[in-house]
Amino acid sequence: MTTSASKPTAPSDRTRVRRIAENAHYDAATLHAILDAAYVCHVAFADEKGTHCIPTACWREGDHLYIHGSNGGRLIKLLAKGTQACVTVTHIDGLVLARSAFHHSMNYRSAMVYGQFEKVDDKRAALDSFMRHLAPGREHEVRPGNDKEFAATTVMRIRLAEAACKVRTGGPNDEAEDMGVAAWAGVLPLVQQRGTPVADPLCTVPAPAYVQQWAA
């Protein structure tokens, strides 16, 4: 659905981007791309002790974002009760240096997901998906979790139905009166770089394709 100005409509009032609304994206393709590029998300929630924001590993499967943790952890116990949560993911792509101090910015890709988490019954299949997110095919090579390990672990997921993304690209947006300021202006790119794999000294197994191609 679009407005008369051909702008996508936010899924809810709390996901509608108000500040620099032209950077907002509500489409699934943008959301999925941001989440799929992430290994960690931050889950914010409130309890009787205050407001918390906890980083945790994440992965996407279809229209849900998944996390996992110990049954006894505060995050898992609170989310299992149906506590409202806000999940965020952010990638920084560059520092934008403008001619005015107050016009400096960043290039970024960010996503926010609102809602309630639910427990996942098929933990084995879900954690296999997590392994594939880390390294495709690795779930077939390593020792699978045993009954004790699975019994101590909870996998949870949140629907991506109520979400918003915000993306900035490009250079500085200086005011006309600042264009004469004698200061360098432009973008300092930031890139997440994959390094050369480092084998465990006790490992005698040849590196599989996903390891050999890691830094390619």
Side-chain angles (χ1 to χ4, degrees), residues 9 29 41-42 48 58 65 76 81 84 138 172 186 191 201:
T9 301
C41 67
H42 288 76
E48 69 280 359
C58 65
L65 185 71
I76 295 298
K81 295 179 179 179
Q84 283 286 323
R138 188 158 181 82
V191 179

Side-chain angles (χ1 to χ4, degrees), residues 75-98:
L75 175 64
I76 295 298
K77 288 194 294 185
L78 263 293
L79 296 180
K81 295 179 179 179
T83 300
Q84 283 286 323
C86 177
V87 184
T88 61
V89 166
T90 303
H91 306 286
I92 301 299
D93 297 320
L95 305 180
V96 181
L97 308 187

Side-chain angles (χ1 to χ4, degrees), residues 13-30:
D13 186 61
R14 64 180 173 177
T15 60
R16 182 166 64 88
V17 175
R18 295 165 173 81
R19 173 66 178 161
I20 315 180
E22 61 269 24
N23 289 350
H25 296 262
Y26 304 108
D27 61 289
T30 300

Side-chain angles (χ1 to χ4, degrees), residues 8 28 212:
Q212 297 178 31

Side-chain angles (χ1 to χ4, degrees), residues 28 31-33 35-36 38 58-66 129 133 160:
L31 175 62
H32 292 178
L35 298 180
D36 290 348
C58 65
W59 68 101
R60 182 186 68 86
E61 188 76 16
D63 294 326
H64 291 85
L65 185 71
Y66 289 72
S129 295
H133 177 57
L160 302 178

Side-chain angles (χ1 to χ4, degrees), residues 106-157:
M106 295 184 186
N107 286 338
Y108 59 87
R109 292 160 289 139
S110 63
M112 298 178 69
V113 180
Y114 290 89
Q116 295 172 292
F117 279 83
E118 62 181 3
K119 287 186 178 181
V120 175
D121 293 329
D122 193 347
K123 293 186 280 188
R124 295 177 186 272
L127 291 174
D128 276 351
S129 295
F130 181 38
M131 283 288 99
R132 285 194 296 273
H133 177 57
L134 297 178
R138 188 158 181 82
E139 70 275 16
H140 303 303
E141 300 173 357
V142 297
R143 175 184 69 79
N146 57 40
D147 291 342
K148 181 180 179 181
E149 290 168 331
F150 277 107
T153 302
T154 298
V155 178
M156 306 202 74
R157 67 181 189 177

